Amino acid sequence: MRVPKRLLLAGAAAALAARRTLTPRYDLSGKSVLITGGSRGLGLALAREFAARGARLTLTARTAADLDAAAAELRRQGAEVATVAADLTQAEDVERAVQAAVTAHGTLDVIVHSAGMIQTGPIQDMTEEDWREIMEINAFAALRLVRAAYPHLKAASGRVLLVTSIGGKVAVPHLGPYSMSKFAAVGLGAALRSELALDGIGVTTVCPGLMQTGSPKHAVIKGQHAKEYAWFATIDNLPLISMPAPAAAQGMVNALVRGDAEAMIGLPATVARYAQALAPQLVADVMALTNRFLPGPTGSAEVRLGAQAESDLTRSNPIKRAAEQEFNQE
């Protein structure tokens, strides 16, 4: 016997309502939260959001001076903050960061993997080492962090927040290595969610779209550097397409508090996700067409950071400049 579609939809709606009723919201007040990449950009926006909800913070990043600046700002707002400089591609540094959080706050309740890197350029100009490098920080570092924090999270019935990207749902031309690493991170989040639930640990994977975090100047640029950076930095800061970092951070923390398995952050990310699911051939064709308008390969492996490829066009973007100033990216 076939079940009418309206009954299936009603059942799904009822199940969703029951889940939201039966799943208690996670209270962040007094919780010990470790945030990777917490010194600038989205990581700093997340630190501000967690602090506003009463969490005690441990921030980790590679550069001690950036951490000190972020911590000083948060402390002026009344937050309790510890910092630890660490390279997340090194297992011993990850262990040290976890221990620093436990030492500072007596426990570790939540880990947030926000650290990451982005590369942009034609796939022909990307080396195998480029693909391996980005996988280390965007995917394997998250795994290392969860493994190191696991005993503490289990004892606290804690939470994990993995920041991935809509690039982990839809592969975008000239972001090949980035997309591969984010697809891996999305898969990691799903695997962790199902297995760690037995230990009382909740895992939330968030997939944001473009955000105004001031991060393009730290991107790795290959190919025709100036042209490549110009399109990337411009798209990343377009109104309506790109969302303010504080709004993105609030959406991510809300998803963690609700206990969501996965959350798209921002309307463009939601639309792209459903377009990919419902019409993958159309999305593939659109991406192939988009690639025709992007700068071609050069056959060179030369690397520049975004800050080294600035032009009058990118320097004059007011949204980009404001985000750089607000999120410690200068």
Side-chain angles (χ1 to χ4, degrees):
M1 182 180 71
R2 294 184 61 184
V3 180
K5 287 184 178 180
R6 62 179 178 275
L7 291 181
L8 289 174
L9 292 173
L16 179 60
R19 176 194 175 277
R20 296 206 179 277
T21 301
L22 297 174
T23 302
R25 294 175 68 86
Y26 191 74
D27 184 5
L28 288 167
S29 180
K31 293 294 194 296
S32 169
V33 180
L34 171 61
I35 304 175
T36 67
S39 65
R40 65 190 187 194
L42 177 63
L44 179 55
L46 284 165
R48 291 169 180 164
E49 184 67 26
F50 276 105
R53 301 189 191 210
R56 297 174 295 159
L57 307 178
T58 302
L59 308 182
T60 182
R62 292 193 183 198
T63 306
D66 289 343
L67 285 167
D68 290 342
E73 176 211 313
L74 292 163
R75 287 173 186 142
R76 286 194 296 270
Q77 299 170 7
E80 187 177 339
V81 187
T83 63
V84 55
D87 179 354
L88 298 179
T89 66
Q90 304 300 314
E92 59 272 21
D93 275 20
V94 175
E95 294 278 358
R96 185 164 53 82
V98 167
Q99 191 54 52
V102 175
T103 300
H105 305 301
T107 185
L108 179 56
D109 302 291
V110 179
I111 58 172
V112 180
H113 184 57
S114 176
M117 70 175 296
I118 189 165
Q119 305 156 330
T120 180
I123 199 170
Q124 296 92 333
D125 291 335
M126 296 291 180
T127 66
E128 183 173 327
E129 183 56 34
D130 292 326
W131 298 76
R132 292 184 181 277
E133 181 183 20
I134 201 167
M135 283 291 293
E136 280 294 324
I137 188 63
N138 288 1
F140 282 111
L143 176 60
R144 291 186 196 97
L145 182 64
V146 173
R147 287 169 62 90
Y150 170 75
H152 307 287
L153 296 175
K154 182 177 180 181
S157 295
R159 296 283 175 104
V160 176
L161 179 63
L162 296 184
V163 179
T164 64
S165 169
I166 187 56
K169 295 288 186 178
V170 181
V172 178
H174 286 220
L175 294 173
Y178 178 81
S179 291
M180 183 178 78
S181 70
K182 293 300 185 178
F183 268 78
V186 169
L188 173 64
L192 292 173
R193 171 87 181 189
S194 60
E195 297 205 30
L196 298 187
L198 288 175
D199 297 314
I201 302 171
V203 179
T204 296
T205 302
V206 290
C207 303
L210 296 170
M211 297 173 288
Q212 297 158 21
T213 64
S215 62
K217 67 189 303 180
H218 298 286
V220 173
I221 313 297
K222 304 194 80 171
Q224 299 181 49
H225 300 104
K227 291 181 180 180
E228 195 72 40
Y229 181 69
W231 82 259
F232 175 69
T234 300
I235 292 293
D236 196 54
N237 291 280
L238 279 180
L240 301 180
I241 294 178
S242 178
M243 69 186 303
Q250 184 180 61
M252 293 176 192
V253 178
N254 285 342
L256 174 77
V257 167
R258 290 192 303 263
D260 293 352
E262 185 177 277
M264 301 297 113
I265 305 299
L267 181 60
T270 302
V271 171
R273 181 235 187 135
Y274 283 109
Q276 174 67 31
L278 297 173
Q281 184 64 55
L282 175 61
V283 172
D285 290 344
V286 169
M287 291 302 168
L289 178 62
T290 299
N291 188 55
R292 292 177 177 271
F293 296 94
L294 297 179
T298 63
S300 169
E302 182 185 355
V303 174
R304 292 184 190 174
L305 292 179
Q308 299 170 315
E310 293 275 16
S311 63
D312 290 341
L313 172 66
T314 58
R315 289 191 192 94
S316 63
N317 187 313
I319 297 176
K320 173 177 171 291
R321 290 290 302 134
E324 290 169 352
Q325 293 169 1
E326 184 177 358
F327 298 106
N328 200 21
Q329 300 277 23
E330 292 189 297

